[in-house]
Amino acid sequence: MEQINRIELRGLVGNVNTQTYSQGKVCHFTVATNYAYKDKTGSPVIETTWHYVTAWESKGICDLVRIVKGAKVYVCGRLKTQKFTGSDGLERTSYDVLASRVVSIDDDEVLNYEM
């Protein structure tokens, strides 16, 4: 049986933190995605979810200087969970996307998300 751990996101960049190491550059950033629906009364509701993404500079990753707050991006990668104990003593779980592909989306550009 084939096992798959894959996530695809298309949304807007929030916070960005780029660091340089001896192995290269790594960019930690957030991506906001929206889900629109109507509630029981018929009123429109937009639900925003924030995703934490880590992208190492490599083939398939756009130039990291293009990842700026408010930029539109497409991210493909795998989901990684990590458990830790917070400063308040409670056990927490974080969900991070380890990106294998990041594409900066321009409004005028027609994108082809070939894998």
Side-chain angles (χ1 to χ4, degrees):
M1 176 179 85
E2 182 180 357
Q3 298 178 0
I4 297 174
N5 178 358
R6 180 176 166 168
I7 185 167
E8 293 181 88
L9 304 170
R10 187 173 57 204
L12 297 174
V13 175
N15 294 330
V16 180
N17 180 10
T18 303
Q19 299 172 333
T20 303
Y21 294 101
S22 59
Q23 303 94 342
K25 288 184 181 177
V26 63
C27 187
H28 302 281
F29 59 100
T30 57
V31 175
T33 58
N34 291 330
Y35 178 72
Y37 63 95
K38 292 187 179 181
D39 63 11
K40 292 179 181 179
T41 65
S43 300
V45 177
I46 296 178
E47 180 181 293
T48 302
T49 303
W50 287 94
H51 309 273
Y52 297 96
V53 180
T54 300
W56 285 90
E57 186 175 52
S58 67
K59 183 180 177 183
I61 307 293
C62 72
D63 188 9
L64 296 181
V65 297
R66 294 185 74 183
I67 301 173
V68 294
K69 188 172 187 169
K72 295 176 185 176
V73 292
Y74 165 80
V75 177
C76 182
R78 67 183 178 93
L79 195 60
K80 179 182 177 186
T81 59
Q82 191 170 352
K83 291 189 181 220
F84 64 95
T85 303
S87 59
D88 55 2
L90 296 176
E91 188 171 296
R92 302 186 192 283
T93 303
S94 70
Y95 299 92
D96 300 315
V97 176
L98 301 180
S100 58
R101 182 173 171 128
V102 177
V103 178
S104 179
I105 301 172
D106 294 329
D107 287 333
D108 302 331
E109 187 176 314
V110 176
L111 291 176
N112 183 7
Y113 300 124
E114 291 181 11
M115 297 312 290

